[in-house]
Amino acid sequence: MRVLVVEDFEVMARSIANGLRREGMAVDVVLDGNDALEHLVATRYDVVVLDRDLPGLHGDDVCRRIATDGRESRVLMLTAADTVKDRVDGLGLGADDYLSKPFDFSELVARIRALGRRSNRPLQPILECGDVSVDSNRRIAFRSGCRLELSAKEFAVLECLLSSKERVVLSDELLERGWDEFVDPYTTTVKTTIRRLRIKLGDPPIIHTVREGGYRIGEL
Amino acid sequence: MRVLVVEDFEVMARSIANGLRREGMAVDVVLDGNDALEHLVATRYDVVVLDRDLPGLHGDDVCRRIATDGRESRVLMLTAADTVKDRVDGLGLGADDYLSKPFDFSELVARIRALGRRSNRPLQPILECGDVSVDSNRRIAFRSGCRLELSAKEFAVLECLLSSKERVVLSDELLERGWDEFVDPYTTTVKTTIRRLRIKLGDPPIIHTVREGGYRIGEL
DNA sequence: CAACCGCTGACACCGCCCTGACACCGTGCC
DNA sequence: GGCACGGTGTCAGGGCGGTGTCAGCGGTTG
């Protein structure tokens, strides 16, 4: 899952980003609204975590812009205020969810996950294919009832493949959805991650290679 | 927008339903979980407003069932409790959003609206001709139900022929659509690829040659 | 602070099969 | 028969993806 954190207080921004990365998300950070808009036209994010009180371009404006442009991303608005009026305002601007500071980190994660599920078309909280299943919320994966111990990247790739179940997913697409903006586009890390994933998934093989492009998960 | 309200306390249920109707939504009401499931198989709802504390079948169970069956609807969970743990739990079960009682009605509406604006993805293009079919998304081809193992070029050519079903496709056109711009225009590779494709497609022949021109796919 | 561990990503190597060229053959038309 | 076009058999090479390994990094633990 690809997340953009927009928060001007750098310490907070970093802390959120690192926390989310530990949860296996690919996180980019920007410190102001204009930067946010630039990133949003360049990259497809599943979820934008948006501080409402930004210097310069206000969070509300960013939110409105995201809502007007054909929205690809879900917006989770962060704010210091917490009156019902604020919450309704936020949702009215096109935010998809709302969280007031101070917040509990596990709740932030839960809400981002819930939003992320909606942005992926087949919006199933539990993704399945054959005897392989992942629970995005709990970040656990199974094969024929057996729990798999997956690393963050392995999980991200598996999740991505499953969310496009049976469809071919290009390596570039995996890279885009599972890694942050600083990744070398010629990296071989997807190849390596797929390999590790295959080993952990065991037999019979369920991740298929499509020459000249990418991978597909499916029983045949 | 089609909404199902699941709430055992009838006064509350009616009040919510009427309020939503005033907002222009089509609302059905049921008072318990089993009824909810029945309605869900019969009708496609955009949003389900689900009370967590239901007599009989618990809200969590309903939620889980919605999540397991290919979910069409988004779930907004209503609850009396409002601890962080509860909220995380709810989202973890596959609810898409969460609201604790007592809630502000305008916030309920805003959240339902936020959940409601979603589109269904377009159908995947499957090209067919006679007993030959190609699924572009999955990069899979079949002949009379039997999976064909095609290489990238073979697949590209077959796809191209099928997309111009029954029409003559010139070799140059195949070259243009299946190869990159640097290909030698006098190459014989299309000829070779067609041959390999014919072998894999087997009998009866379905790719026909048009002298001086190209190829056509069709049953006769 | 040192030792350790798991995750990540780079890199080198290897083997396969895809690719495309070429030579030859079959066929229909002049 | 000769020619032109397309089908067939075959072969070399190279590209792509799989595999094994290693080093760096960050977090954790004693």
Side-chain angles (χ1 to χ4, degrees):
Chain A
M1 171 140 45
R2 191 79 186 251
V3 179
L4 179 66
V5 174
V6 190
E7 161 70 62
D8 63 303
F9 183 34
E10 199 169 342
V11 177
M12 172 71 90
R14 282 172 172 276
S15 132
I16 293 177
N18 286 330
L20 296 181
R21 287 193 187 109
R22 260 197 301 279
E23 295 288 330
M25 303 177 191
V27 187
D28 295 340
V29 175
V30 296
L31 302 176
D32 67 78
N34 290 313
D35 235 11
L37 291 180
E38 275 177 35
H39 274 70
L40 282 162
V41 296
T43 313
R44 190 189 164 286
Y45 292 96
D46 298 288
V47 177
V48 180
V49 177
L50 181 63
D51 185 24
R52 197 172 180 195
D53 300 311
L54 290 174
L57 194 62
H58 193 263
D60 287 356
D61 302 318
V62 177
C63 193
R64 214 178 286 119
R65 284 286 295 278
I66 296 175
T68 8
D69 309 347
R71 69 140 78 246
E72 290 270 287
S73 316
R74 311 285 150 216
V75 177
L76 174 66
M77 192 88 108
L78 291 183
T79 185
D82 188 21
T83 66
V84 166
K85 181 176 176 312
D86 279 314
R87 301 168 80 166
V88 174
D89 278 357
L91 293 170
L93 286 168
D96 297 281
D97 201 354
Y98 201 95
L99 200 54
S100 54
K101 302 178 191 175
F103 52 84
D104 188 278
F105 192 75
S106 61
E107 183 171 3
L108 177 66
V109 172
R111 286 188 177 267
I112 290 176
R113 291 241 168 84
L115 288 177
R117 264 185 279 118
R118 278 193 237 151
S119 80
N120 295 341
R121 283 311 141 116
L123 42 102
Q124 294 165 343
I126 293 182
L127 298 165
E128 276 183 302
C129 179
D131 56 355
V132 175
S133 65
V134 308
D135 181 333
S136 306
N137 297 308
R138 306 191 193 292
R139 228 190 72 73
I140 49 181
F142 297 90
R143 172 139 209 192
S144 41
C146 249
R147 172 97 186 258
L148 303 170
E149 295 295 337
L150 300 184
S151 77
K153 294 299 185 202
E154 288 156 12
F155 192 88
V157 167
L158 180 59
E159 198 178 12
C160 190
L161 287 174
L162 281 173
S163 76
S164 301
K165 181 180 169 186
E166 293 287 333
R167 238 197 61 226
V168 175
V169 184
L170 301 173
S171 298
D172 294 348
E173 201 178 334
L174 288 170
L175 207 55
E176 175 134 336
R177 287 176 63 181
W179 276 258
D180 70 23
E181 57 185 331
F182 301 112
V183 70
D184 168 17
Y186 299 109
T187 181
T188 63
T189 188
V190 170
K191 195 166 91 165
T192 308
T193 306
I194 287 278
R195 175 166 172 261
R196 293 183 178 129
L197 197 47
R198 276 177 168 150
I199 292 171
K200 292 194 182 171
L201 283 170
D203 281 325
I206 192 169
I207 297 178
H208 310 283
T209 305
V210 175
R211 198 156 225 268
E212 307 257 324
Y215 301 90
R216 179 178 60 81
I217 200 165
E219 284 177 278
L220 42 123
Chain B
M1 173 144 43
R2 193 86 194 236
V3 181
L4 179 65
V5 175
V6 190
E7 162 69 63
D8 63 305
F9 182 35
E10 199 167 342
V11 178
M12 172 70 92
R14 282 173 172 276
S15 134
I16 292 176
N18 287 331
L20 295 180
R21 287 190 189 111
R22 261 197 303 280
E23 296 287 331
M25 304 179 190
V27 187
D28 295 339
V29 176
V30 296
L31 303 177
D32 67 78
N34 291 311
D35 237 10
L37 291 179
E38 276 178 33
H39 275 71
L40 281 162
V41 295
T43 315
R44 191 193 163 283
Y45 293 95
D46 298 289
V47 178
V48 180
V49 178
L50 181 62
D51 185 27
R52 196 173 181 194
D53 300 310
L54 291 173
L57 196 59
H58 195 262
D60 288 357
D61 301 318
V62 178
C63 192
R64 212 177 288 118
R65 282 289 293 277
I66 296 175
T68 356
D69 307 348
R71 68 136 80 244
E72 292 271 286
S73 317
R74 318 293 183 293
V75 177
L76 175 68
M77 192 90 105
L78 292 182
T79 185
D82 187 21
T83 66
V84 165
K85 184 179 176 310
D86 278 315
R87 300 167 83 166
V88 174
D89 276 358
L91 294 171
L93 285 167
D96 297 283
D97 201 357
Y98 200 95
L99 201 54
S100 54
K101 303 177 189 176
F103 51 84
D104 187 278
F105 191 73
S106 58
E107 183 171 1
L108 177 66
V109 174
R111 284 182 180 271
I112 290 176
R113 289 248 165 79
L115 287 178
R117 41 178 140 84
R118 305 282 177 255
S119 60
N120 294 330
R121 61 181 161 165
L123 291 175
Q124 50 192 357
I126 292 182
L127 301 166
E128 274 184 306
C129 177
D131 56 356
V132 175
S133 66
V134 155
D135 181 332
S136 303
N137 285 331
R138 297 198 289 169
R139 277 259 169 122
I140 295 181
F142 296 91
R143 173 141 208 191
S144 42
C146 246
R147 171 90 188 268
L148 303 170
E149 295 292 339
L150 301 184
S151 78
K153 296 297 184 204
E154 288 155 12
F155 191 89
V157 167
L158 179 59
E159 200 178 10
C160 190
L161 288 174
L162 280 174
S163 73
S164 304
K165 184 180 167 185
E166 294 291 347
R167 231 198 64 221
V168 175
V169 184
L170 301 173
S171 296
D172 292 349
E173 201 179 332
L174 288 170
L175 207 56
E176 191 163 311
R177 287 175 62 179
W179 277 257
D180 70 23
E181 54 187 328
F182 304 111
V183 72
D184 169 19
Y186 299 108
T187 181
T188 63
T189 188
V190 170
K191 195 167 89 167
T192 308
T193 306
I194 288 280
R195 175 168 170 261
R196 292 184 179 127
L197 197 47
R198 277 175 167 151
I199 293 171
K200 292 194 182 170
L201 283 170
D203 282 325
I206 193 169
I207 297 179
H208 311 285
T209 306
V210 177
R211 212 178 158 84
E212 305 265 340
Y215 302 90
R216 180 179 58 82
I217 200 166
E219 282 178 280
L220 44 115

